Amino acid sequence: MDMKRRSFLTGSALLTVSGIVPVASGMLPSEQAAHDKYKATVVPPPGKLLDSEPLLQVPAPDSVGVSFAVNALAVGYAQVADNPEMKNAKQFVCEGMPLAEIHDRVLRVRMDGLKPATKYWYRIGAAAVTYPVGYWMKPSPIEWGGVHSFTTPGEAAASHFMVMNDTHAQWKPFAMVTDKMRELQAPVTIWNGDATNTSRTLEDNVKIFLKPGSGTGYGADTAILFNNGNHDFRGQANIYLDQVLMTRLPSERSPRDWALKRNFAIRQGDIALIGLDTGEDKPDFHPAAGGATRFEPYREAQVPWLEDQFKRPEIAQAPFVVAFVHIPIFDPDPNANPGTLLEDYATWQKQAAELWGPVLTRNGVQLVIAAHQHRYRFDPVLPGRSWAQIVGGGPSVNVADTKHFPTVIEGKVADGKLRIIVHDVLKKQIAGEFSFDPRKA
Ligand SMILES: [Fe+2]
Ligand SMILES: [Fe+2]
């Protein structure tokens, strides 16, 4: 029907010129007038519709998402190609079926059908949307951004990752962290939570993720795997964080696990990266939750998901497995706050530790990387526990405070071992270096 109308529009223009009334179509004069008005409406190309650099996210071996800010109601696009000239590029429109999710501030596009461990070039685009006739939508010409690149994960990809955490919308440490990441050039970034403080409006999250006060373009050429921190659950806008940060594809998991929107388990070369969400740092009965949180069942729901990941051959056979949590799942201090009390807040997350810790050990996971404490720490392997734990630091940039500094934790495989380097990005030195042997799959 759409095609018929479009060819009729062309035909009717000719008929009008020659003075013949287009009765053959059966179109009412009022409808013809609408078509004429729609066709005659010129949508001027907007000056600066794109309002941020692209943020690559939710990388998978065969897909990657991108979100970006715009200045007006628009439909978003991404083009992806196997060459920097963008020849034979494949074009994608905003995610959403049947309606592409157009928006006036943030657009999200998923590029799929990709090959694992493959370098691609891409660019984002947007077309302003107007409604010249009732609900009939007419887009402007597309405004394109610059060409960037990424490499999809997979078993043949580089065994290399980097971790940022607890930036808390503080732009000095954010600059230090993103400068370091630009230098390291790992193909994937795990953003291990507490990106936000309390986000009340969508604009709060636009400023944090898409238009940060430093590090512009930090996610344009390296995709982020975002793992929630406790702060990323605070404020009305964080209920709708999906507006800015895309979630994993439902096809990646069993319907039982569809509520677990951000948990990830992917192979980055010889390393399996697993993301687990520790949630808030207070129990569900705490008044701060207002009776409106379900973190305890949420942690329980991640157990069967986690167990199933180790049944996937590419995860089961990975030489190295690193799990990421925001709140540590171990604390050497027996009096440390376990996050189950009314008093104060979690230093570590006891429920998650009890639920997930044994699964990680049973599967020979070598390392857990945590955050939340704002102070770098290494917890070695213990008898009966396969994994060591590294806690990343941040966001203090006070050099007089020698205990607190922001970190970038880098992991890469060299000579058959997983080498972890904890970069102190404040004093620009290495805070810790560790080496892990392959697991017995
Ligand atoms: Fe934090
Ligand atoms: Fe935290």
Side-chain angles (χ1 to χ4, degrees):
M1 176 170 145
D2 188 43
M3 280 311 292
K4 258 192 210 156
R5 285 214 168 155
R6 214 174 297 148
S7 55
F8 177 73
L9 274 169
T10 317
S12 72
L14 294 168
L15 291 167
T16 309
V17 169
S18 55
I20 301 166
V21 181
V23 287
S25 72
M27 193 180 277
L28 295 168
S30 60
E31 198 177 3
Q32 181 62 55
H35 276 276
D36 291 347
K37 188 179 175 194
Y38 183 93
K39 191 159 182 267
T41 302
V42 177
V43 188
K48 203 76 191 112
L49 184 56
L50 294 172
D51 193 36
S52 78
E53 286 294 309
L55 175 59
L56 290 167
Q57 51 201 285
V58 284
D62 57 354
S63 69
V64 67
V66 64
S67 66
F68 50 97
V70 286
N71 274 322
L73 184 65
V75 56
Y77 298 94
Q79 284 188 332
V80 64
D82 60 6
N83 62 87
E85 295 78 32
M86 303 301 292
K87 279 184 292 228
N88 302 315
K90 198 172 163 191
Q91 188 161 310
F92 298 88
V93 71
C94 279
E95 190 162 58
M97 186 165 76
L99 297 177
E101 293 171 359
I102 65 168
H103 199 265
D104 59 12
R105 193 62 179 125
V106 182
L107 301 177
R108 304 179 307 263
V109 184
R110 181 115 38 182
M111 296 169 260
D112 59 15
L114 307 178
K115 286 182 260 182
T118 303
K119 182 166 185 178
Y120 288 98
W121 286 262
Y122 80 103
R123 60 178 181 169
I124 53 166
V129 161
T130 54
Y131 294 88
V133 178
Y135 67 90
W136 292 14
M137 182 199 286
K138 186 164 187 176
S140 74
I142 301 173
E143 178 182 315
W144 291 106
V147 174
H148 294 278
S149 66
F150 62 86
T151 301
T152 47
E155 288 161 71
S159 308
H160 194 190
F161 67 83
M162 48 196 181
V163 189
M164 62 189 289
N165 58 275
D166 294 280
T167 40
H168 286 284
Q170 293 185 29
W171 306 123
K172 267 190 188 172
F174 196 84
M176 294 170 186
V177 164
T178 52
D179 282 354
K180 187 69 197 180
M181 297 197 310
R182 197 162 276 139
E183 178 195 318
L184 297 178
Q185 297 254 331
V188 68
T189 300
I190 295 89
W191 193 340
N192 212 9
D194 279 4
T196 72
N197 292 308
T198 301
S199 290
R200 296 199 166 80
T201 65
L202 172 61
E203 199 55 29
D204 289 345
N205 282 338
V206 167
K207 293 214 169 81
I208 288 165
F209 294 102
L210 303 177
K211 291 170 69 74
S214 64
T216 303
Y218 70 96
D221 297 271
T222 307
I224 61 158
L225 286 162
F226 188 75
N227 206 12
N228 295 305
N230 48 304
H231 278 270
D232 307 315
F233 290 106
R234 297 181 182 175
Q236 298 94 307
N238 276 343
I239 301 170
Y240 309 103
L241 188 56
D242 303 5
Q243 287 186 304
V244 179
L245 292 184
M246 299 164 75
T247 55
R248 307 301 302 180
L249 283 170
S251 55
E252 288 184 55
R253 57 204 62 214
S254 130
R256 180 200 63 202
D257 301 326
W258 280 358
L260 309 178
K261 295 186 290 187
R262 297 201 187 280
N263 288 82
F264 56 83
I266 63 164
R267 273 287 291 271
Q268 183 66 49
D270 288 339
I271 314 166
L273 309 171
I274 297 187
L276 290 157
D277 189 342
T278 45
E280 257 294 1
D281 65 0
K282 296 176 187 69
D284 284 339
F285 67 75
H286 194 284
T293 67
R294 300 190 190 98
F295 287 105
E296 285 140 26
Y298 179 56
R299 291 181 199 108
E300 279 170 25
Q302 292 176 70
V303 176
W305 174 84
L306 178 61
E307 281 172 339
D308 281 0
Q309 300 318 301
F310 292 103
K311 294 174 192 155
R312 292 167 51 193
E314 71 270 33
I315 304 297
Q317 291 157 19
F320 304 97
V321 184
V322 182
F324 298 86
V325 292
H326 176 75
I327 301 177
I329 55 171
F330 169 77
D331 196 290
D333 176 0
N335 297 316
N337 189 315
T340 53
L341 314 171
L342 194 57
E343 298 74 27
D344 221 13
Y345 58 89
T347 303
W348 65 299
Q349 224 302 318
K350 182 170 186 271
Q351 185 199 9
E354 289 174 353
L355 288 170
W356 310 336
V359 183
L360 300 178
T361 289
R362 215 180 305 132
N363 290 285
V365 171
Q366 293 107 323
L367 177 63
V368 169
I369 293 183
H372 182 64
Q373 303 226 307
H374 297 190
R375 182 174 171 180
Y376 158 63
R377 185 179 87 222
F378 176 74
D379 300 320
V381 166
L382 287 176
R385 196 188 74 191
S386 68
W387 41 275
Q389 179 179 265
I390 293 176
V391 182
S396 168
V397 289
N398 173 9
V399 274
D401 176 358
T402 54
K403 288 174 182 165
H404 298 88
F405 49 84
T407 57
V408 171
I409 301 172
E410 180 187 17
K412 60 183 171 191
V413 175
D415 303 323
K417 296 202 180 226
L418 171 62
R419 188 164 174 243
I420 300 286
I421 306 166
V422 182
H423 299 275
D424 168 353
V425 296
L426 177 62
K427 294 185 283 301
K428 298 189 193 304
Q429 61 190 25
I430 291 176
E433 270 186 283
F434 309 93
S435 177
F436 297 86
D437 290 324
R439 62 203 257 270
K440 296 159 205 86

